Amino acid sequence: MAAIDSPAKDLPLREDVRTLGALLGEVLREQGGEALFARVEAARLAARRRRVGEAGAEDELTGLLRGLAPPDAVEVTRAFSAYFGLVNMAERVHRIRRIRAYLAERTPVPGGLAAVLRGVAAEGVELATVRDALARLRVEPVFTAHPTEAVRRTLLMKEQRIARALVDRLERAPLTPDEDAGTLARIRTEVTAAWQTAEQPASGIAVADEVEHILFYLVEVIYRVVPAFYEHLEAALAAAYGPDAARALPPGLLRFASWVGGDADGNPNVGAATITATLARHRELILRRYQPELRSLFDHLSQARARVGVSAALEARLAAYRALLPAVWQRIPARYHDMPYRLLLEHVAARLAAAAHDGPGAYPDAASFLADLDLIGASLAAHRGAHAGLELVTRLRRRVETFGFHLATLDVRQHAGAHRRALAALLADPGFPALPAAARAARLRALLAAPPPPPAAGATDPDAAATLATMRAIGAARARHGAAAIGPYIISMAEGPDDVLAVLALARLAGLTGADDAVPLDVAPLLETTPDLARGRRILTELFDDPLYRRHLATRGGGQLVMLGYSDSNKEAGLAASRVALFDAEGDLTAAADAAGVGLTLFHGRGGTASRGGSKPREAVLAEPPHVVRGHVRVTEQGENIHAKYGLRGIAIRTLELMAGAVLEVTTCGGRCPSPAPAWVAAARTLAEDSAVVYRRLVFEDPDFLAYFRAATPIDVIELLRIGSRPSRRTGAGGIADLRAIPWVFAWTQSRHILPSWYGLGTGLERLRERHGPALLAEMAAGWPFFANLLADVEMVLAKADMPIAAHYAELAGPAGARLFPHLRAEFARTVALIVEARGAREILDGEPALKREIRLRNPYVDPMSLVQVDLLARWRAGDRRDDALREALFTTVRGIARGLQNTG
């Protein structure tokens, strides 16, 4: 362990970065000329000297970068951006190297399944308790298309190939000089091709493009690692509880979902057509993905009846298929007629191929396909086949159990206001949206209690027509791809029980009903604002007290899903108030469900940065209130986080293990799970109130703040970026309240303020310290996972923020900047000092030395891009934003800074 944890562990990473940096330098000389290389190198060295406080270095750096012609600004920025692309990938490969170092030492990787189960067993948790937890376990990442991924897909593909070359270099080490040169040549090819590829697409991003982006990770990475996850779990169980402990793991421990193609909230490009097209694409890709595995099974399962027996059930299935698909039998060469597994697999492959277009003999669903694989597996197990191909069948079975014929569940989301407008049109009652919530609920209960109406005809109102079409597309998708293809129907900005009942009413009006007039939808209110989070318990209690809704729940298995939004609550009240409101809401919602005997699943709508709920996978689960996590974690994965957490197979399986291990840990802890001291909870609520007052006084009450935001960040550039299919605003209003949380956070991150993730917390902590002394804060930081995680998330943001660089952006705001920025800088310093004190450290990130080194190494190379952006912004705005070349250069800086900081929105 000493060797594993020593500072020398980063030496291979530093060597990789040096090698890749030198390679990039060669590419810059070749592609951009000696002048570009010299300018980039001079800026790099000046930025490093500036960071260590060398006199004159800042003036030198700004002098090098001020007034660059747009093409030169683009080339300089792209050079630093390309460097970060290589560094990011080297760091991810190094994480794989670190995992392998633990395995080589036969040491469980911290937070992994082996470490968690060893710890659980050591604490005396019996195997029966673990098995019960596994029976309830479900880890369900939900991929979304929020426009924070600032790197286009074609460049991500090149990064993947670079990563594979780096992993190959790692796996084959030590390499001969010729082998190493060959690997570096492959990397140089990708780097050079990326340099010659336009970063900005020629046209805007369509929903179909976002679908393909997400499917890349599902099909190329996640599909491959699912069997390995189960194998790691089996090995961990066997190591902790003995070899028999891993028998018969339950299916469905992993599930994957997507919003891409189903998230219509504020996006007029999403609706019935994208739901249909997206799920058709899902089906096409997963059916195509199974075929090579069937071919591999065919190659391996060459057993002959003359050598080994097969089950009677398999022989009976062969006979049935010979009658069902005579053409398939006729084309099988006679040399295979004594090979029963190959005979069956030929028919299985034919049925699977037919399923793509509902041809003769097609599998009607994934369960039928799985049944044939089970027959093969059972026959192998019964006839000495455990080491003659059974493991290959098991791997495919795990994938089919996970992905079915739908690949990933498609969630559907729409704003509550759209539903109210649709119902106003369908009920011929224009005043319906303006009714009090209780009156709307009563009207909807009467509608739901009445005999089912005939399906509504085509509506002329846009909201009504779109909603009816969406409901009918959901019904068609369930029939075509299976019930698992459609996930919950999520209601944005849900404010009361009427918003949930509205979805059921609209489904009935569209004819989306099944047996006994049941609506086959799980309806999930999304509680986004702090007032909505506070009223969540009342919303659920009223719903559960409603006999109509309880009957609906009974048809859905008795479970309720509630989605928690992190972004809007933070935007309106600041990070501490948002996190405490969410903590309280989780406890309230769980209590309401328990009182009603309803199973509750909380769906966490987390973003990339701390202000949108971003956190480490394991720590986020451990920070939940006691006894709230009951085997199931459902969480959004957004933007650049998807690439960081699922871009490489080794990292993807580590991400899944961290989440699953944390869920197992808290689900099995029982009475051993500590509850926070009442004094801690009271203190956190006081902190939330104090910090929210400070935050709102600045963001919503200061008359200069909006002007400062629009001048001291590149929000006007971000609003023009073509990085997503959804508009940056919910409506046409120009205020902060109307701006979506993603561009709000993205803009502050670009300007290095990262204000939404920390502002107000410092004053709140200071006031708490004044009331209770430093000891209470230290106790909370050391003994309460929720509070420790809050401080750790903010600490990481504080390390990435940079007030000296932010000062350059503040100058763009003129008098508003001169007045506001000193106040912001003081609050930043206050926050840093109090977090460091509470955590018992000397400076930021003392407890995270690897992250600390990583950020300190990165920041000097982000600084030149930031200074270029400030200069370009001033010139672009001075010309009334009419200079297209400056605008395109600004787009390049946005992407480069996003790559360097690895957090956007």
Side-chain angles (χ1 to χ4, degrees):
M1 279 297 292
I4 292 176
D5 291 332
S6 69
K9 68 183 183 181
D10 289 332
L11 287 175
L13 172 60
R14 291 200 289 271
E15 179 58 33
D16 282 349
V17 170
R18 278 194 294 270
T19 299
L20 294 171
L23 184 151
L24 176 62
E26 294 172 9
V27 172
L28 293 180
R29 280 193 171 99
E30 175 190 272
Q31 298 295 313
E34 194 63 38
L36 172 64
F37 176 79
R39 178 178 283 145
V40 169
E41 187 66 5
R44 183 181 73 85
L45 295 174
R48 290 181 62 179
R49 291 197 298 272
R50 174 189 170 276
R51 279 282 167 174
V52 296
E54 186 174 313
E58 174 139 355
D59 290 341
E60 179 187 354
L61 182 60
T62 54
L64 282 166
L65 302 173
R66 185 186 298 116
L68 293 177
D72 293 334
V74 167
E75 295 302 281
V76 168
T77 303
R78 288 202 64 181
F80 283 102
S81 178
Y83 170 78
F84 281 117
L86 293 173
V87 170
N88 293 345
M89 200 51 65
E91 287 171 347
R92 289 165 194 158
V93 171
H94 186 62
R95 288 177 62 192
I96 296 173
R97 181 187 284 120
R98 302 298 311 125
I99 292 168
R100 293 181 179 184
Y102 278 99
L103 298 177
E105 295 282 339
R106 298 187 180 277
T107 303
V109 185
L113 290 169
V116 167
L117 284 167
R118 175 185 284 189
V120 165
E123 290 179 1
V125 178
E126 296 181 352
L127 177 59
T129 302
V130 173
R131 285 194 175 279
D132 179 63
L134 286 171
R136 292 180 283 149
L137 178 67
R138 177 176 291 184
V139 173
E140 191 170 13
V142 183
F143 300 113
T144 75
H146 288 311
T148 59
E149 176 55 84
V151 183
R152 64 187 298 190
R153 185 172 186 266
T154 187
L155 293 173
L156 293 176
M157 294 286 288
K158 296 181 190 306
E159 286 189 7
Q160 285 289 309
R161 290 192 286 271
I162 291 170
R164 287 174 189 147
L166 289 172
V167 171
D168 183 53
R169 197 166 179 249
L170 169 64
E171 289 176 341
R172 296 169 57 202
L175 299 175
T176 67
D178 286 346
E179 288 172 332
D180 197 39
T183 301
L184 292 176
R186 288 163 53 197
I187 295 173
R188 180 166 180 168
T189 296
E190 299 298 339
V191 173
T192 306
W195 182 262
Q196 296 178 351
T197 301
E199 288 191 327
Q200 177 72 13
S203 59
I205 301 295
V207 175
D209 299 318
E210 294 173 332
V211 169
E212 292 302 317
H213 184 85
I214 296 302
L215 291 180
F216 169 80
Y217 297 101
L218 282 166
V219 173
E220 296 299 327
V221 181
I222 292 170
Y223 178 89
R224 296 173 182 270
V225 305
V226 162
F229 170 87
Y230 282 95
E231 289 157 11
H232 288 194
L233 177 55
E234 288 171 343
L237 281 167
Y241 287 98
D244 291 337
R247 288 180 306 169
L249 283 179
L253 303 184
L254 299 178
R255 285 286 185 266
F256 300 92
S258 172
W259 279 16
V260 189
D263 181 10
D265 176 21
N267 191 343
N269 303 305
V270 172
T274 59
I275 290 171
T276 301
T278 298
L279 286 172
R281 182 63 172 154
H282 283 202
R283 183 185 183 93
E284 175 191 358
L285 288 182
I286 193 60
L287 293 180
R288 185 189 300 170
R289 200 68 188 78
Y290 291 146
Q291 288 288 359
E293 290 213 62
L294 290 177
R295 177 53 53 188
S296 176
L297 285 178
F298 182 93
D299 291 341
H300 283 87
L301 300 184
S302 58
Q303 288 91 335
R305 292 186 182 93
R307 298 290 302 162
V308 68
V310 295
S311 69
L314 189 142
E315 293 284 16
R317 184 65 52 85
L318 260 180
Y321 278 174
R322 184 172 181 176
L324 176 68
L325 301 169
V328 174
W329 176 263
Q330 290 169 8
R331 69 171 182 251
I332 298 175
R335 64 180 180 277
Y336 297 145
H337 285 187
D338 192 41
M339 299 178 179
Y341 296 121
R342 286 188 169 181
L343 292 175
L344 183 57
L345 285 166
E346 282 283 6
H347 291 84
V348 167
R351 294 197 73 189
L352 189 68
H357 51 82
D358 294 326
Y363 281 120
D365 49 40
S368 304
F369 177 36
L370 196 58
D372 279 347
L373 295 178
D374 285 339
L375 268 183
I376 296 171
S379 180
L380 286 168
H383 295 89
R384 307 189 309 281
H387 302 291
L390 178 58
E391 71 280 5
L392 298 176
V393 178
T394 301
R395 290 175 71 84
L396 178 54
R397 284 190 72 263
R398 293 294 190 198
R399 288 171 170 139
V400 178
E401 288 172 347
T402 302
F403 300 108
F405 281 1
H406 63 283
L407 180 59
T409 292
L410 185 65
D411 291 1
V412 178
R413 182 171 75 140
Q414 183 54 281
H415 196 284
H419 298 149
R420 294 172 196 159
R421 293 190 297 271
L423 282 163
L426 293 168
L427 298 175
D429 181 0
F432 179 81
L435 290 174
R440 287 198 303 267
R443 180 82 180 273
L444 292 167
R445 288 189 185 99
L447 182 64
L448 290 167
T460 56
D461 176 82
D463 286 304
T467 303
L468 293 177
T470 293
M471 293 296 182
R472 289 165 183 156
I474 289 171
R478 286 172 53 86
R480 174 75 177 100
H481 307 291
I486 293 291
Y489 192 108
I490 299 157
I491 313 161
S492 296
M493 290 296 174
E495 297 175 349
D498 60 297
D499 288 321
V500 177
L501 299 176
V503 174
L504 299 181
L506 287 164
R508 291 181 85 219
L509 289 169
L512 178 57
T513 54
D516 299 324
D517 192 35
V519 173
L521 278 180
D522 295 313
V523 185
L526 168 49
L527 307 178
E528 301 187 69
T529 66
T530 46
D532 291 337
L533 289 166
R535 69 171 65 99
R537 183 170 188 165
R538 178 182 61 78
I539 292 172
L540 285 195
T541 298
E542 290 184 22
L543 282 171
F544 297 157
D545 286 345
D546 184 343
L548 282 169
Y549 192 70
R550 287 302 291 262
R551 283 199 293 273
H552 168 72
L553 284 185
T555 69
R556 303 301 302 160
Q560 175 68 51
L561 182 75
V562 176
M563 186 171 180
L564 303 173
Y566 288 69
S567 303
D568 285 278
S569 57
N570 184 285
K571 185 158 75 79
E572 71 174 17
L575 185 134
S578 170
R579 292 285 181 96
V580 172
L582 285 156
F583 183 89
D584 285 342
E586 290 184 55
D588 289 345
L589 293 167
T590 302
D594 287 350
V598 173
L600 177 69
T601 295
L602 296 175
F603 176 16
H604 298 272
R606 297 182 182 272
T609 54
S611 58
R612 298 191 56 245
S615 193
K616 293 181 179 180
R618 173 174 168 78
E619 284 72 10
V621 174
L622 297 180
E624 297 297 324
H627 314 299
V628 164
V629 179
R630 299 176 180 181
H632 192 178
V633 59
R634 197 176 206 263
V635 59
T636 52
E637 300 283 18
Q638 301 179 2
E640 71 283 342
N641 271 10
I642 297 174
H643 191 52
K645 293 162 74 173
Y646 301 94
L648 296 178
R649 284 176 240 169
I651 303 300
I653 194 166
R654 172 69 171 156
T655 299
L656 296 171
E657 279 205 39
L658 286 171
M659 287 195 286
V663 173
L664 271 176
E665 191 170 322
V666 299
T667 304
T668 58
C669 73
R672 296 174 295 105
C673 281
S675 294
W680 296 353
V681 178
R685 289 172 180 155
T686 301
L687 170 65
E689 293 169 5
D690 289 342
S691 63
V693 168
V694 175
Y695 177 90
R696 291 190 62 82
R697 187 178 297 144
L698 172 73
V699 174
F700 294 103
E701 298 172 17
D702 191 293
D704 290 333
F705 181 77
L706 179 59
Y708 181 84
F709 167 62
R710 295 207 65 85
T713 77
I715 182 60
D716 43 353
V717 179
I718 289 168
E719 288 172 332
L720 297 174
L721 269 172
R722 298 186 294 273
I723 55 174
S725 69
R726 190 169 72 166
S728 63
R729 293 185 175 275
R730 284 193 166 98
T731 69
I736 288 170
D738 182 62
L739 187 69
R740 289 189 179 275
I742 293 167
W744 161 256
V745 176
F746 200 171
W748 284 117
T749 304
Q750 285 281 308
S751 69
R752 311 291 289 280
H753 292 70
I754 325 186
L755 181 146
S757 293
W758 56 265
Y759 186 80
L761 179 62
T763 298
L765 289 170
E766 184 176 68
R767 292 176 183 172
L768 203 60
R769 188 185 191 279
E770 290 169 356
R771 291 190 190 101
H772 302 286
L776 180 67
L777 285 176
E779 288 173 12
M780 293 167 66
W784 188 11
F786 164 78
F787 194 70
N789 190 58
L790 168 65
L791 297 185
D793 287 344
V794 176
E795 191 177 15
M796 185 272 289
V797 169
L798 294 172
K800 288 190 175 185
D802 191 287
M803 288 299 105
I805 292 292
H808 289 273
Y809 287 88
E811 291 175 2
L812 298 173
R819 184 178 76 81
L820 287 176
F821 186 71
H823 171 72
L824 300 183
R825 186 166 47 200
E827 180 69 6
F828 182 87
R830 184 180 299 114
T831 309
V832 169
L834 285 159
I835 287 182
V836 166
E837 179 185 274
R839 291 172 69 81
R842 291 174 302 171
E843 59 181 6
I844 285 291
L845 291 181
D846 266 1
E848 295 268 9
L851 180 59
K852 184 177 183 178
R853 285 193 299 271
E854 176 187 319
I855 292 175
R856 284 187 170 176
L857 287 171
R858 284 171 168 276
N859 277 345
Y861 303 114
V862 182
D863 296 348
M865 294 188 289
S866 294
L867 294 174
V868 169
Q869 186 179 84
V870 170
D871 181 58
L872 293 173
L873 275 172
R875 292 154 59 191
W876 182 59
R877 290 167 179 171
D880 293 329
R881 299 172 175 81
R882 294 175 180 173
D883 191 320
D884 292 346
L886 286 172
R887 184 193 64 213
E888 294 299 320
L890 279 165
F891 288 166
T892 303
T893 65
V894 169
R895 290 183 168 80
I897 293 168
R899 240 182 181 182
L901 294 179
Q902 293 187 294
N903 282 117
T904 54

